[in-house]
Amino acid sequence: MPHTAVLLVDDQPLFIKGLSSLINGLPSYTVIGEARDCVEAMALLSSKKPVLAVTELDIGNKEGLDLIKDMKSYDPGIVVLVLSKHDERYYAERALRAGARGYIMKSQPETMVVSAIKTVMAGKVYLSDAERERLFEYMTGEPLKEGDDWFSSIRKLSDRQFQIFTLIAHGFGTIEIADRLNLSPKTIDTHKEYLKLRLHCTSSRELKQLAIGWIRSPPP
């Protein structure tokens, strides 16, 4: 049986080596490339023609969601599984919209990672049971559980707005965000004004404090 060629994308050397060992130990799977950033990932996608890409969302200076879109644009048939440190509540749906087939958090045991790989390679979508329930509630209009108002507000942000909110949380200012996203400072300020309105902040300082508090300890 031919082996499934796998590309790994993660900027943590020890983690990517451990993941590579895990996948190479599976029957019919072979890691054909390990990328530390988006440039390496696209180069390996072009030269090695992987069937499956397992990627983190924090990789170098580029947004991981954009990498998923780039990979799917270059090779619509590639299967993408996100294996990330980021909370699935805020990223899983966005990753699926970008073109990923599944999302699993790094806090999950190896057996679940293997299950996620086999699920997406079988042509199915992989999400945790909790995330499937949240998506069902969101799509069907079922009442959100107590404490989920914040979650609902974050979820309604566009990918670009969410990206800027996350960068604010990491301490980046308008000029730095504009440089990283190749946008004008004026455009970033416009997005910030929308974020303040959407998240009920009266000032840029309050927005920054909210973002920092969220990324350090997201509401349950």
Side-chain angles (χ1 to χ4, degrees), residues 107-169:
S107 57
Q108 294 299 307
E110 291 182 356
T111 54
M112 295 303 293
V113 175
V114 172
S115 177
I117 290 172
K118 292 181 176 180
T119 297
V120 298
M121 289 309 301
K124 301 176 183 179
V125 172
Y126 182 87
L127 291 171
S128 71
D129 290 341
E131 184 57 24
R132 284 182 180 276
E133 182 180 348
R134 276 190 288 268
L135 280 177
F136 177 79
E137 291 178 353
Y138 179 71
M139 293 172 65
T140 59
E142 292 288 330
L144 291 171
K145 296 182 179 67
E146 184 179 354
D148 274 355
D149 288 345
W150 168 265
F151 167 72
S152 179
S153 295
I154 293 293
R155 186 166 232 155
K156 289 176 182 177
L157 298 177
S158 70
D159 286 346
R160 179 65 79 192
Q161 292 154 2
F162 183 69
Q163 185 179 25
I164 291 170
F165 183 68
T166 302
L167 290 172
I168 291 171

Side-chain angles (χ1 to χ4, degrees), residues 167-168 170-179 188 192 208:
L167 290 172
I168 291 171
H170 285 294
F172 292 102
T174 296
I175 300 299
E176 293 170 304
I177 295 174
D179 287 343
I188 301 302
K192 282 185 173 182
K208 182 177 180 180

